[in-house]
Amino acid sequence: MLSYTEENYLKALLKISFAHGDLGVGTNELATVLAVKPATANDMLKKLKEKELVDYEKYGKIRLTASGKKRGIDVIRKHRLWETFLFKKLEFSWDEVHEVAEQLEHIQSEKLVDKLDKFLDYPEFDPHGDPIPNKKGELKVQFKKTLADVAVGSSCKMVAVKDNSSSFLQYVVKVGLGINNEISVVSKQDYDALTVIKVNGVKSSVSQKFAENIFVVCNNCVVGKSCPKTKCEIK
Amino acid sequence: MLSYTEENYLKALLKISFAHGDLGVGTNELATVLAVKPATANDMLKKLKEKELVDYEKYGKIRLTASGKKRGIDVIRKHRLWETFLFKKLEFSWDEVHEVAEQLEHIQSEKLVDKLDKFLDYPEFDPHGDPIPNKKGELKVQFKKTLADVAVGSSCKMVAVKDNSSSFLQYVVKVGLGINNEISVVSKQDYDALTVIKVNGVKSSVSQKFAENIFVVCNNCVVGKSCPKTKCEIK
DNA sequence: TTTATTTATTAGATTAGTCTAACTTTATTA
DNA sequence: TAATAAAGTTAGACTAATCTAATAAATAAA
Ligand SMILES: [Mn+2]
Ligand SMILES: [Mn+2]
Ligand SMILES: [Mn+2]
Ligand SMILES: [Mn+2]
């Protein structure tokens, strides 16, 4: 049985791995994500190594073992199922679900997770567009392309958000954006990449930082695979 | 913000108070209920007194303050709402809900509790027949009379169970009993109070211990008040 | 290739919650 | 009422998770 804290370390390691491929994770990086000091993370990593949930050499990069990865995915599965429950069944808005799911993800009951999954009719994506791992731990490939990659004159579909903070999510709503919306890129400033987009006929300006936090696909893209079109409008 | 552990102490104090009226709680008693040593309970009681959640003199009986009581009732409210959710929405059986609710009762989100309450359509009783406190903390009076109090030849209605353990609940089902069932007391042994009851036309023998764990009302009893009938068949 | 900077580790301390063992106070009973 | 038993408290120790401050190793810059 893993502690609340151990589960959070595994989840953080997994999320960092998703973000930057195969080249292991650093102690400081992990500590930053978990908002603890490197010394603290270092202590915990020793314990996780002892339990064979992570593997690394002293002063080397950290990687999850197969079992560590499975445990981490289970936590993410629970997190996203609970977010979906709060959003779909309890009328929470998409910027409110994350905080509560941070607590709910640590409830230990396999039956509860499976029943919740069934109750929600086996959802594939959470309210932020993130894929929900299934019972076996299989996870749809995460999205890679963002609104910042879309060429001027092209259009795309918003599929997820990268930043899950309540402030960003509320801003997204204010700009008139949401999951599955069609976005046209009207123009882009050379100097600072300030971008004019059109959503449902309404134009707005968004910053580079904003655009990088909106995951999109082009209309020919196959989610999780490369675009079959020879000249995809998205890099 | 109360810790997981502090919440459990308040809940335990409240439950013991419910069980034996106004005469405060003892350290050893509390320790037994929480499955810790008296020394441990003593340490925690000092902290709770410091936070003005309980009140007592050294070597004296312990009582919850108004605010301690409110916090304890909130935990019970959450526990029973979650049990109801698991039972009504996720197809858990009544002997499975308690264990998971022990975890869920510590999730901190007032909004979650209120939304859950609404989602369940403001239930008044949990799957074990126990009353669910409302948002204000108002709690229906607990049941007092048990099957062991019912006179031979009389009948009564089962309204709740005292013991919430999975083994007892499964036994109750095996005997053919459930909440709201009509029970006739056919006979009772003088020697050991072994009782023959009839439920839905089927006779069974139950021990005194068993009978004392089934809360009942007579058909004239008004829940939470005394029976208006001059000669109530239940003491 | 030294030096400086960043990254990682260790040592020692703290807090919450728990324990055992010894001791004190209150309650029971002979 | 005095002896005994039960209930409650204290002292000292342990673990998990955290911190600060000092140190060591690896990397980047000069
Ligand atoms: Mn989230
Ligand atoms: Mn999410
Ligand atoms: Mn329960
Ligand atoms: Mn219950």
Side-chain angles (χ1 to χ4, degrees):
Chain A
M1 186 112 313
L2 298 174
S3 73
Y4 186 106
T5 311
E6 288 170 326
E7 286 194 337
N8 280 336
Y9 275 80
L10 295 182
K11 186 179 63 154
L13 283 165
L14 195 56
K15 281 191 163 180
I16 299 172
S17 308
F18 281 153
H20 57 234
D22 209 24
L23 41 135
V25 179
T27 306
N28 288 4
E29 193 178 12
L30 177 61
T32 305
V33 169
L34 289 165
V36 298
K37 301 293 162 185
T40 307
N42 189 258
D43 282 350
M44 179 56 81
L45 285 167
K46 283 182 195 162
K47 281 187 228 160
L48 295 177
K49 188 180 178 184
E50 190 56 42
K51 293 189 176 185
E52 302 195 340
L53 295 163
V54 304
D55 194 24
Y56 67 97
E57 299 303 314
K58 212 175 177 182
Y59 292 102
K61 292 297 174 187
I62 304 138
R63 278 182 190 77
L64 287 164
T65 62
S67 98
K69 189 176 174 186
K70 178 63 172 70
R71 304 300 214 94
I73 286 177
D74 276 348
V75 179
I76 289 182
R77 169 168 157 81
K78 286 190 278 180
H79 182 100
R80 293 181 182 169
L81 280 174
W82 280 116
E83 285 190 343
T84 306
F85 169 72
L86 296 173
F87 184 73
K88 286 274 178 68
K89 302 289 184 179
L90 299 195
E91 309 176 289
F92 274 63
S93 57
W94 78 336
D95 61 291
E96 296 171 320
V97 298
H98 178 77
E99 195 192 1
V100 183
E102 285 291 305
Q103 297 178 59
L104 287 164
E105 72 188 7
H106 300 291
I107 302 292
Q108 313 271 191
S109 166
E110 203 181 326
K111 177 159 193 167
L112 175 56
V113 182
D114 293 345
K115 289 287 191 181
L116 191 63
D117 197 14
K118 183 182 176 191
F119 184 60
L120 299 170
D121 202 19
Y122 308 102
E124 299 201 313
F125 298 95
D126 81 4
H128 311 109
D130 291 313
I132 301 175
N134 67 16
K135 189 169 164 58
K136 290 182 199 156
E138 293 159 348
L139 184 58
K140 295 236 164 29
V141 175
Q142 302 275 335
F143 306 107
K144 289 277 152 38
K145 299 165 180 173
T146 73
L147 180 55
D149 300 320
V150 182
V152 173
S154 298
S155 70
C156 59
K157 191 173 78 169
M158 170 169 169
V159 288
V161 287
K162 189 187 279 183
D163 180 352
N164 276 16
S165 73
S166 158
S167 57
F168 177 67
L169 296 176
Q170 283 170 17
Y171 186 22
V172 170
V173 171
K174 216 169 94 185
V175 173
L177 270 175
I179 305 288
N180 286 327
N181 276 174
E182 201 67 26
I183 309 174
S184 307
V185 176
V186 178
S187 65
K188 204 184 279 193
Q189 288 291 335
D190 274 350
Y191 177 64
D192 56 6
L194 189 76
T195 306
V196 175
I197 58 171
K198 193 158 81 176
V199 186
N200 293 322
V202 181
K203 285 185 185 171
S204 326
S205 291
V206 300
S207 69
Q208 165 119 53
K209 184 179 172 190
F210 183 99
E212 284 169 349
N213 280 297
I214 303 287
F215 284 117
V216 299
V217 293
C218 92
N219 301 56
N220 303 291
C221 282
V222 178
V223 169
K225 300 185 179 171
S226 60
C227 184
K229 217 174 145 186
T230 347
K231 273 179 61 184
C232 182
E233 311 92 331
I234 309 179
K235 284 186 292 260
Chain B
M1 187 113 310
L2 298 175
S3 73
Y4 186 105
T5 310
E6 288 169 325
E7 286 195 336
N8 280 336
Y9 275 81
L10 296 181
K11 187 179 62 154
L13 283 166
L14 195 55
K15 281 191 163 179
I16 299 171
S17 307
F18 281 154
H20 57 235
D22 209 24
L23 40 137
V25 178
T27 307
N28 288 3
E29 191 178 12
L30 177 61
T32 304
V33 169
L34 288 166
V36 297
K37 300 294 162 185
T40 307
N42 189 257
D43 282 351
M44 180 56 81
L45 285 167
K46 283 181 195 163
K47 282 188 225 159
L48 295 177
K49 188 180 179 184
E50 190 54 42
K51 293 189 175 185
E52 302 194 339
L53 295 164
V54 304
D55 195 23
Y56 67 98
E57 300 303 315
K58 210 174 177 183
Y59 292 102
K61 292 297 174 187
I62 305 139
R63 279 183 189 76
L64 287 165
T65 62
S67 100
K69 188 176 174 186
K70 179 63 173 70
R71 303 300 214 93
I73 286 177
D74 276 348
V75 179
I76 289 182
R77 169 168 158 80
K78 285 191 277 180
H79 182 99
R80 293 181 182 169
L81 280 173
W82 279 116
E83 285 190 342
T84 306
F85 169 72
L86 297 173
F87 185 74
K88 286 274 178 67
K89 302 289 183 179
L90 298 195
E91 308 175 292
F92 274 62
S93 58
W94 78 336
D95 61 292
E96 295 171 320
V97 299
H98 178 77
E99 195 192 1
V100 184
E102 284 291 304
Q103 298 178 59
L104 287 162
E105 72 188 7
H106 301 290
I107 302 292
Q108 312 272 190
S109 166
E110 202 181 327
K111 177 159 192 165
L112 175 56
V113 182
D114 293 345
K115 289 287 190 180
L116 192 63
D117 198 13
K118 183 182 175 190
F119 184 61
L120 298 170
D121 203 18
Y122 308 102
E124 298 201 312
F125 298 95
D126 81 5
H128 309 110
D130 291 312
I132 301 174
N134 67 16
K135 191 170 163 56
K136 290 182 198 156
E138 292 159 349
L139 182 58
K140 296 234 164 32
V141 176
Q142 303 275 334
F143 305 108
K144 290 274 152 38
K145 297 165 182 174
T146 73
L147 181 53
D149 301 319
V150 181
V152 173
S154 298
S155 70
C156 59
K157 192 172 77 168
M158 171 169 168
V159 289
V161 287
K162 190 187 276 184
D163 181 351
N164 275 15
S165 74
S166 158
S167 56
F168 177 68
L169 296 176
Q170 284 170 17
Y171 186 21
V172 170
V173 171
K174 216 169 95 185
V175 173
L177 271 174
I179 305 288
N180 287 327
N181 275 175
E182 201 67 26
I183 308 174
S184 308
V185 176
V186 178
S187 64
K188 205 184 278 195
Q189 288 290 335
D190 274 348
Y191 176 63
D192 56 4
L194 189 76
T195 306
V196 175
I197 59 171
K198 194 158 82 174
V199 187
N200 293 321
V202 181
K203 284 184 186 170
S204 325
S205 291
V206 301
S207 70
Q208 165 119 56
K209 184 178 172 193
F210 183 99
E212 284 169 351
N213 280 298
I214 304 287
F215 283 116
V216 298
V217 293
C218 91
N219 299 57
N220 302 292
C221 282
V222 179
V223 169
K225 298 186 180 171
S226 60
C227 183
K229 218 175 146 188
T230 348
K231 273 178 62 186
C232 181
E233 311 91 332
I234 309 179
K235 285 186 294 264

